Structures are given as structure tokens and as C-alpha cells.
């Protein structure tokens, strides 16, 4: 009996000696884990479970959330491809267009569920589009009908479908949301792919609040329009610059009912300083990435001599530049100085939170860039609420009407390129630049 035990002990000891390094390493790891268990767990949570904290400027509701968020939460019936053209999305099995481009019949794929687990049916399609009827034909088929041909429809249908409770169909679901004064304060997105991180958005009223949130560690990624010099010296901070040419642009909108002579509007355009960065420079209301973009429009490069020539027989009254965003104040001051120097007139600047679009001289603000080149809402004479320049031009009206009723893309392109030529000739707005977005990321 003793001999057997002795033999086993000797055998075990030989095994230990042969694998000493392995056993020593294992014991060391266990001891280190026991000694530093809280720190190790904290580090693991930080690297694996810690959400990606993003700070954004803006006050949003579920209807106005930026596309970088809504595109994660859900899909529309269509999606915009790399050529800026609408095609059917992952939700759709088949699309048939009938009745001379007035009936769009979508067949939904089987097995598509909302984040809540409920099955997607044709009865869930609830786009609110004036002049468009949405009719469920069956559980899987929905018919979308327009009274007249409406070529922007497929682009509009790319808007992600999101229910009022934030239920969506995308790669992320909304796991938590908080509100402040009716606006979203925080929004947490949980990925369906467990290898991806949770994303938590925090919203702030202005860029300075976003910057302060980054400084004190409330967020690890921020997106702002102006870059403070101090960030260039921050350790463990990565800065990425992106010129956004497909969301909005900066322009001076001119009240054409006060400045009825287009030569005056053109003179103001020539006397307005513009960015020398060709990537930032904006020449019209349609994105340069759009298939309908016209690169040959009048550019109105800064030319004080030409500006004075256009006003040889005209006299300008004092002009008030109205802005509704303090970030544009420096630019407004530059414009004011240039106009005063060029024309010798009095120029004032007014900062107004609530714009009076019924009575203004010129308005320095942002214009929206739509995915479809349709510009009817912004420049057609009948659109009193959205045509803020009050432009009334029969030729431009006709082009805008034809553009949204033409489904041949080559013909549409010709129409919108002609529209851009005439719009820039009329000069109801002085197009200046695209905003720059700085993404600041904290390195680990």
C-alpha cells in the first residue's frame, strides 16, 4: 500500500517538474486575478461593455433625428445607392411600377421583424406624404399611389420607418431614451450583433456645451462645426475633418420683393467674400455628389470691380443682414465689411432667434440639401412657407414642375441642370460654402 502511494507521489512530482513553467504561470495568473479582481473587471467592462459615448449639438425629436442615427435604427422601403439613386431596400422583395409611374406596388420580404419582435406587414407602412395614398393590398403587399407623376417619391420612401415608441427594423434598437423640455436628451442604441458596441448619444444645445462634455469625460466622441485651437495640443485625441456636401449649405438668401432688380442681387454676390477652399465652396442648392449637379453655373467669384459696374446706375439703401445662428456672426461681419467697402453703404447685423420671413433684407443661414434634386418647395412661386426668397420666375417654376413629373433620369438631369443655370442667373441667394464637421475622438 505504502509503495503504491509513494510511486504515485513520485510520478506526480516528475510531472510537476516537467511542467513547472506552466503551473507557475497558472498560479501567478490566479493570484494576480484575486489581488486585482476589481481593476481587471473594470478594465474589461470599459473595453467590451462600455458604450460608445457620442456628443452631438442640436435639439431633436423622433421625427427630426439626424440620419446617422435613424439609419442605424431602421430602413425605408428604398435606399440611396452610391450613385445617389433610389433602389429597393432590404425590406422589399419586389417593386412593380404601373399606371404611367403613378402606382408603386411593393412586395415585402417574409421574416422581417420590428425590434420589438412583431412582424412587419404592409399595414405598418405609414409615410405621411401630401398627395400620396398608401393602401395595404395584403399582409405583404402595399400599393402607393400618386395623383400625378411624382418622380421624387422613391427617394422620399428611403426615410427609415420608425414607430412613435422608437421601434425600428435596423441593426440597432433603442434600449433607453430620456427627454428634456420635449426634446431627446439621451438615446441609447443596442446592436443586434453582440460583437458591436452599445452606442449612447447625448445631445447639447450648442457646440460649447458639447466641447465641455468632452473635456469632463461625459462623452468620448464629439461632432462639432468649429474646432477650438486647444484641441490640437490634447493628448490621446484624434481629430477628423469632413466637409459635408450632402446635408446643408451656407448662403445669403435675398428678399427678392425688396431687391427686385437681379443686377443688384448679382452685385451683392460679386461683393461677397467666399472661401478659397474648392472643397468647401458651394455653387448651388444641389449637392456636387448628385447625378443632377451642374458644375458649369455662374460662380460669382469675389470681384469688387464687377460688383461696382453692375450698380453704376443704381443706388443701394442701407441693408440689414439677419442671422439666427451665432456661429455665423464672424462670417456676417466679413460680409458687412466687404459690402460697406465696395458700395459705401450702411450695413447692420441683427441676430434673431425667431426669424420674421415676411420682412427681412438678406438672411445669412443654412439651406437644406435634399437627396433628390427636386427643389420645388424652396424656389417655386406658390410655396409661400418654404420659398423664403419669395422668388417668382415663370421659367424656373416651369422647370421645377417638369422636374418632378419626369421619370426619365436623363431628361430629369437636363431639366435640373437648366434650373441651376437660371437660378444662379437670377441670384435669389448667394451660395457660399458647405459646413465642416470635426469629429474629435478620445484615444484609449
Amino acid at each position: 500500500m505504502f509503495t503504491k502511494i509513494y510511486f504515485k507521489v513520485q510520478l506526480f512530482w516528475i510531472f510537476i517538474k516537467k511542467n513547472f513553467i506552466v503551473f507557475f504561470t497558472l498560479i501567478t495568473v490566479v493570484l494576480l486575478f484575486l489581488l486585482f479582481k476589481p481593476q481587471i473587471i473594470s478594465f474589461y467592462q470599459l473595453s467590451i461593455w462600455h458604450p460608445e459615448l457620442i456628443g452631438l449639438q442640436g435639439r431633436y425629436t423622433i421625427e427630426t433625428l439626424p440620419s446617422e442615427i435613424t439609419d442605424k435604427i431602421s430602413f425605408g422601403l428604398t435606399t440611396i445607392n452610391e450613385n445617389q439613386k433610389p433602389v429597393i431596400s432590404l425590406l422589399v422583395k419586389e417593386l412593380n411600377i404601373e399606371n404611367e409611374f403613378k402606382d408603386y406596388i411593393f412586395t415585402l420580404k417574409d421574416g422581417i421583424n420590428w425590434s420589438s419582435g412583431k412582424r412587419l406587414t404592409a399595414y405598418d407602412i405609414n409615410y405621411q406624404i401630401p398627395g400620396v395614398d398608401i393602401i395595404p393590398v395584403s399582409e405583404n403587399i402595399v400599393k402607393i399611389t400618386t395623383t400625378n407623376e411624382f418622380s421624387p417619391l422613391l427617394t422620399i420612401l428611403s426615410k427609415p420607418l420608425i414607430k412613435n415608441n422608437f421601434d425600428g427594423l435596423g441593426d440597432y434598437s433603442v434600449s433607453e431614451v430620456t427627454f428634456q423640455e420635449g426634446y431627446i436628451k439621451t438615446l441609447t442604441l443596442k446592436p443586434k450583433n453582440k460583437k458591436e458596441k452599445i452606442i449612447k448619444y447625448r445631445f447639447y444645445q450648442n457646440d460649447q456645451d458639447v466641447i465641455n462634455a468632452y473635456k469632463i469625460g461625459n462623452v468620448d466622441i464629439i461632432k462639432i462645426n468649429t474646432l477650438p485651437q486647444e484641441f490640437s495640443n490634447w493628448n490621446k485625441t484624434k481629430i477628423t475633418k469632413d466637409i459635408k456636401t450632402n446635408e446643408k449649405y451656407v448662403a445669403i438668401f435675398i428678399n427678392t420683393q425688396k431687391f427686385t432688380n437681379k443686377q443688384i442681387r448679382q452685385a451683392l454676390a460679386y461683393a461677397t467674400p467666399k472661401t478659397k477652399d474648392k472643397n468647401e465652396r458651394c455653387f448651388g442648392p444641389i449637392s456636387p455628389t448628385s447625378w443632377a449637379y451642374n458644375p458649369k453655373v455662374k460662380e460669382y467669384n469675389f470681384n469688387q470691380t464687377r460688383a461696382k459696374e453692375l450698380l453704376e446706375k443704381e443706388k443701394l439703401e442701407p441693408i440689414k443682414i439677419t442671422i439666427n445662428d451665432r456661429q455665423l456672426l464672424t462670417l456676417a461681419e466679413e460680409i458687412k465689411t466687404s459690402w460697406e467697402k465696395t458700395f459705401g453703404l450702411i450695413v447692420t447685423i441683427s441676430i434673431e432667434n425667431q426669424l420674421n420671413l415676411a420682412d427681412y433684407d438678406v438672411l445669412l443661414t443654412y439651406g437644406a440639401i435634399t437627396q433628390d434634386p427636386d427643389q420645388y418647395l424652396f424656389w417655386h412661386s406658390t410655396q409661400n412657407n418654404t420659398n423664403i426668397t419669395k422668388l417668382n420666375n415663370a421659367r424656373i417654376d416651369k422647370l421645377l414642375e417638369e422636374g418632378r413629373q419626369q421619370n426619365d433620369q436623363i431628361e430629369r438631369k437636363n431639366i435640373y441642370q437648366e434650373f441651376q443655370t437660371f437660378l444662379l442667373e437670377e441670384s435669389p441667394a448667394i451660395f457660399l460654402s458647405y459646413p465642416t464637421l470635426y469629429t474629435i475622438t478620445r484615444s484609449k
Side-chain angles (χ1 to χ4, degrees):
M1 182 70 177
F2 176 78
T3 304
K4 288 183 179 180
I5 295 173
Y6 178 79
F7 176 75
K8 289 180 180 179
V9 169
Q10 288 294 319
L11 189 64
F12 178 74
W13 181 245
I14 293 169
F15 178 78
I16 291 293
K17 286 196 292 185
K18 284 186 177 181
N19 298 277
F20 177 75
I21 295 176
V22 174
F23 276 93
F24 179 79
T25 303
L26 181 61
I27 293 170
T28 302
V29 169
V30 171
L31 288 174
L32 287 173
F33 177 78
L34 292 174
L35 287 171
F36 300 100
K37 182 179 178 181
Q39 292 89 338
I40 293 172
I41 292 176
S42 177
F43 176 80
Y44 182 78
Q45 288 176 333
L46 183 66
S47 58
I48 303 298
W49 298 328
H50 184 67
E52 193 171 79
L53 299 173
I54 301 176
L56 298 179
Q57 183 271 328
R59 307 183 79 186
Y60 298 103
T61 64
I62 187 172
E63 291 83 13
T64 61
L65 278 169
S67 59
E68 77 163 80
I69 298 176
T70 56
D71 288 346
K72 290 181 174 69
I73 297 173
S74 198
F75 304 105
L77 291 178
T78 65
T79 186
I80 307 301
N81 67 13
E82 58 186 12
N83 296 318
Q84 299 296 303
K85 298 175 184 177
V87 295
I88 60 173
S89 75
L90 298 173
L91 308 179
V92 178
K93 179 180 179 181
E94 184 181 22
L95 168 62
N96 292 307
I97 303 175
E98 302 175 353
N99 190 22
E100 297 180 341
F101 291 94
K102 294 177 185 176
D103 294 336
Y104 296 77
I105 302 170
F106 290 86
T107 302
L108 304 178
K109 288 182 180 178
D110 294 324
I112 302 293
N113 293 329
W114 294 91
S115 296
S116 61
K118 184 181 177 182
R119 178 191 165 201
L120 170 70
T121 72
Y123 297 93
D124 295 321
I125 309 303
N126 61 348
Y127 289 104
Q128 303 298 314
I129 308 170
V132 174
D133 293 324
I134 298 178
I135 307 165
V137 176
S138 67
E139 289 280 313
N140 280 12
I141 298 176
V142 60
K143 180 178 179 182
I144 300 179
T145 300
T146 62
T147 305
N148 301 305
E149 288 185 59
F150 184 53
S151 48
L153 179 63
L154 287 178
T155 299
I156 294 173
L157 294 177
S158 68
K159 181 180 179 181
L161 292 159
I162 303 175
K163 293 184 179 181
N164 290 333
N165 61 355
F166 291 91
D167 202 5
L169 302 156
D171 298 326
Y172 289 78
S173 61
V174 176
S175 60
E176 184 182 5
V177 60
T178 63
F179 294 88
Q180 184 175 26
E181 297 178 354
Y183 295 97
I184 298 171
K185 183 181 180 181
T186 65
L187 185 72
T188 303
L189 302 185
K190 183 180 179 181
K192 292 181 179 177
N193 182 350
K194 294 183 179 179
K195 293 182 180 180
E196 299 292 334
K197 275 193 171 186
I198 291 172
I199 303 174
K200 185 168 185 176
Y201 291 94
R202 289 175 171 159
F203 301 96
Y204 302 89
Q205 289 197 22
N206 53 60
D207 271 5
Q208 190 55 56
D209 287 345
V210 177
I211 292 167
N212 291 339
Y214 180 85
K215 287 180 177 179
I216 64 177
N218 281 348
V219 291
D220 297 321
I221 301 172
I222 61 173
K223 300 184 181 185
I224 53 178
N225 296 118
T226 56
L227 181 65
Q229 185 63 35
E230 60 188 297
F231 276 123
S232 59
N233 301 319
W234 274 50
N235 293 326
K236 296 184 178 180
T237 292
K238 178 184 176 183
I239 301 172
T240 305
K241 178 181 177 181
D242 185 21
I243 298 171
K244 309 296 287 185
T245 63
N246 57 358
E247 294 179 3
K248 59 183 179 180
Y249 57 86
V250 180
I252 304 170
F253 295 91
I254 303 172
N255 187 338
T256 59
Q257 290 184 352
K258 288 190 176 182
F259 299 91
T260 57
N261 187 340
K262 76 174 182 180
Q263 283 189 243
I264 295 177
R265 303 194 295 267
Q266 290 178 347
L268 291 173
Y270 279 116
T272 301
K274 304 171 181 83
T275 177
K276 294 180 181 179
D277 187 330
K278 293 182 179 179
N279 295 316
E280 290 182 2
R281 180 71 201 280
C282 173
F283 297 107
I286 294 177
S287 170
T289 61
S290 170
W291 50 267
Y293 180 68
N294 185 350
K296 299 179 180 179
V297 296
K298 241 179 183 177
E299 295 185 358
Y300 294 102
N301 293 320
F302 185 59
N303 189 333
Q304 290 175 300
T305 302
R306 179 58 180 152
K308 291 175 182 177
E309 289 174 354
L310 286 167
L311 290 186
E312 280 182 343
K313 298 179 181 180
E314 297 284 346
K315 182 180 179 181
L316 282 176
E317 298 294 328
I319 297 177
K320 181 175 73 172
I321 301 174
T322 302
I323 63 173
N324 63 340
D325 187 336
R326 286 188 174 274
Q327 291 186 1
L328 297 174
L329 183 57
T330 301
L331 178 57
E333 293 284 0
E334 292 175 8
I335 296 166
K336 164 184 160 69
T337 300
S338 181
W339 286 1
E340 288 178 335
K341 183 178 179 180
T342 304
F343 305 118
L345 77 158
I346 298 172
V347 180
T348 58
I349 297 174
S350 174
I351 304 173
E352 301 177 11
N353 293 326
Q354 297 294 326
L355 297 174
N356 179 12
L357 298 178
D359 183 27
Y360 74 94
D361 293 340
V362 299
L363 173 62
L364 176 62
T365 189
Y366 298 98
I369 293 179
T370 55
Q371 288 182 310
D372 188 272
D374 176 42
Q375 296 285 304
Y376 188 91
L377 288 176
F378 308 121
W379 309 104
H380 196 278
S381 61
T382 62
Q383 303 303 295
N384 297 325
N385 295 327
T386 49
N387 175 9
I388 62 176
T389 66
K390 303 174 175 58
L391 179 65
N392 189 343
N393 182 287
R395 191 162 193 173
I396 287 175
D397 280 358
K398 186 172 185 298
L399 288 169
L400 292 172
E401 292 161 7
E402 292 175 348
R404 56 174 24 197
Q405 294 177 5
Q406 176 58 254
N407 282 284
D408 183 278
Q409 187 159 314
I410 295 176
E411 289 299 320
R412 281 197 89 201
K413 181 176 181 177
N414 291 336
I415 289 169
Y416 285 118
Q417 293 208 333
E418 189 177 353
F419 154 75
Q420 290 167 80
T421 298
F422 282 105
L423 183 73
L424 270 292
E425 178 64 30
E426 282 298 307
S427 199
I430 304 169
F431 299 95
L432 301 177
S433 63
Y434 300 106
T436 299
L437 186 69
Y438 296 94
T439 301
I440 301 174
T441 306
R442 195 188 316 278
S443 303
K444 300 298 183 185

